[in-house]
Amino acid sequence: MLSPSATGIWLDQATVRLGGRVVLDRLTLSLTEQRIGILGRNGSGKTTFLRLIAGLVAPASGSVSVEGADPFADRKAALRNLGILFQNPDHQILFPTVQEELAFGLVQQGLTQRQALDRARDCLAGEGRSHWAEAPVSTLSQGQRHYLCLLSVLLMEPRTILLDEPFAGLDLPTQVRLSRRLAALPQRLVTITHDPAALEGADRVLWLEAGRIVMDGPPAQVLPAFTAEMARIGAQDADADLAG
């Protein structure tokens, strides 16, 4: 049994069942590196893994600890310790204007609405985007909305940021800009993806398949093995297992 510390992400025999099906199966992990990748094809359990760490679902058995707190039971601690950048910014954005969206998380952390809006405007000024403050979110491009979501997360100053396919749907220049910004962040980043190229700079990569860890190690070991296995599966009738 692991002994969770006040640093990092700890899972001890964590199992998640959805609709009666085991999606994550008795995962025991200690994640303390600064750049961690969770790699797997669609349906491997990656998104459920992210939701488990974020406290959006509870384990059916076992336990999860993030920075010494249970993220599902202690939502205040989860808001303080964790930020999430979802694949689709439209699944994350709630408010009509940029400054309101930026202020929301700060209000959840205890600031008054006025204090939160002041912080939001200061943030935009520091980014050279003061003109965004009262702009309708609907007028932003996909890449700009993605960037807005990142700013919302950074304003809350979490210790760990969970990234769900962070480059999906972005054009190449936007990917380059976002990649550069993420690389410079001091926070621990946990990147969920099916794209090995997105994890080449990681400290540690975990290959997830059918809710279990297939391989865990440095990218130089895990990424070639994953790529080779995906090529092998792709050379066969990869949908045959769906018939069962």
Side-chain angles (χ1 to χ4, degrees):
M1 178 180 293
L2 291 176
S3 298
S5 74
T7 301
I9 300 165
W10 298 72
L11 285 76
D12 188 5
Q13 293 290 305
T15 296
V16 175
R17 294 185 179 90
L18 298 175
R21 182 172 65 91
V22 174
V23 181
L24 296 176
D25 190 8
R26 293 168 293 176
L27 297 182
T28 296
L29 294 165
S30 168
L31 304 176
T32 58
E33 294 80 5
Q34 281 297 101
R35 298 293 184 263
I36 299 166
I38 310 298
L39 182 65
R41 55 180 174 155
N42 292 341
S44 63
K46 301 189 308 298
T47 298
T48 302
F49 185 86
L50 178 146
R51 292 174 61 82
L52 176 67
I53 293 173
L56 300 178
V57 296
S61 60
S63 61
V64 179
S65 172
V66 178
E67 311 298 347
D70 180 335
F72 185 81
D74 190 344
R75 294 308 299 157
K76 286 187 176 180
L79 285 172
R80 182 175 65 251
N81 293 324
L82 288 167
I84 308 175
L85 189 65
F86 289 104
Q87 178 178 347
N88 186 340
D90 295 332
H91 293 166
Q92 190 162 350
I93 293 171
L94 300 172
F95 290 87
T97 69
V98 169
Q99 62 181 359
E100 289 175 296
E101 182 62 31
L102 289 174
F104 174 67
L106 297 173
V107 172
Q108 297 301 301
Q109 288 186 323
L111 270 65
T112 67
Q113 184 71 13
R114 179 179 292 277
Q115 289 171 330
L117 287 172
D118 287 344
R119 284 276 301 278
R121 287 189 284 265
D122 287 344
C123 170
L124 290 171
E127 297 287 328
R129 289 172 170 81
S130 293
H131 57 290
W132 278 21
E134 297 184 11
V137 173
S138 60
T139 64
L140 302 183
S141 69
Q142 173 84 0
Q144 289 171 331
R145 292 198 301 276
H146 213 65
Y147 191 70
L148 169 60
C149 291
L150 177 60
L151 291 181
S152 297
V153 169
L154 294 179
L155 265 176
M156 297 174 71
E157 300 180 340
R159 296 174 68 176
T160 295
I161 299 176
L162 308 177
L163 306 170
D164 181 15
E165 300 284 2
F167 305 113
L170 302 179
D171 60 26
L172 286 176
T174 305
Q175 288 184 34
V176 170
R177 287 193 292 268
L178 179 59
S179 179
R180 184 171 62 244
R181 182 62 185 269
L182 292 174
L185 294 177
Q187 284 94 343
R188 176 183 298 109
L189 302 183
V190 180
T191 302
I192 313 291
T193 185
H194 66 272
D195 180 9
L199 301 179
E200 290 176 353
D203 300 314
R204 178 181 177 185
V205 177
L206 290 80
W207 171 6
L208 192 64
E209 184 68 41
R212 294 184 176 183
I213 302 298
V214 174
M215 196 171 181
D216 178 357
Q221 293 179 6
V222 179
L223 301 186
F226 175 82
T227 301
E229 178 63 9
M230 295 307 103
R232 186 192 69 79
I233 293 172
Q236 302 174 355
D237 184 356
D239 295 332
D241 58 328
L242 298 180

